[in-house]
Amino acid sequence: MNIAIVGFGTVGKHYLEILKKFKNVKKIYIINDEPIKLIKNCEQISVKKILEYKPHIDFAIICTPSGLHYQYAKFFLKKRISTLIEKPLVLSLKHARNLISIKKRNKTKCWV
């Protein structure tokens, strides 16, 4: 399985440490503005690159500042990629309802 981690602060690094322990995780894509030191099976990638090259991603984990949760979750859910969002889910009820609608329509999962 291939996983994207969006944001690589303390929480993103925490998820990476957890994911490294699973043998069925083949590739981890890290979406982060700042260059990072990568480990085996990791690749730093931009959202633009995802759109251009369309790598296979099974799950996304959103670890950005709260104000960015909605835009990234919406992006992945529209691509039919189940998404885990660090709390809070989003900052407005309207955005929460929109994500729920997208995940139902695309038959994906969206967790907090």
Side-chain angles (χ1 to χ4, degrees), residues 20-54:
K20 288 189 323 187
K21 298 174 185 176
F22 291 93
K23 292 180 180 162
N24 60 340
V25 174
K26 304 252 187 275
K27 185 91 168 185
I28 300 170
Y29 295 99
I30 299 182
I31 300 167
N32 194 62
D33 291 337
E34 302 295 320
I36 57 172
K37 185 178 175 188
L38 297 172
I39 61 166
K40 183 181 169 187
N41 298 335
C42 279
E43 179 181 338
Q44 187 168 1
I45 189 169
S46 66
V47 172
K48 181 180 177 185
K49 215 178 210 185
I50 290 172
L51 293 171
E52 289 175 6
Y53 300 111
K54 299 179 182 154

Side-chain angles (χ1 to χ4, degrees), residues 8 25 27 30 34 36 40 42 55-57 59 61 69 75 100-101 108:
F8 202 62
V25 174
K27 185 91 168 185
I30 299 182
E34 302 295 320
I36 57 172
K40 183 181 169 187
C42 279
H56 175 75
I57 297 172
F59 298 99
I61 303 172
H69 288 184
F75 172 83
I100 291 167
S101 175
T108 57

Side-chain angles (χ1 to χ4, degrees), residues 65-84:
S66 301
L68 300 173
H69 288 184
Y70 175 71
Q71 82 178 52
Y72 284 113
K74 182 178 172 184
F75 172 83
F76 286 105
L77 290 171
K78 281 189 167 189
K79 300 221 167 288
R80 291 183 160 80
I81 297 170
S82 291
T83 304
L84 172 68

Side-chain angles (χ1 to χ4, degrees), residues 91-108:
L91 299 179
S92 79
L93 188 55
K94 178 183 175 183
H95 286 166
R97 287 183 177 138
N98 190 26
L99 291 182
I100 291 167
S101 175
I102 294 168
K103 74 122 186 142
K104 284 181 179 178
R105 185 173 50 250
N106 290 338
K107 297 180 178 147
T108 57

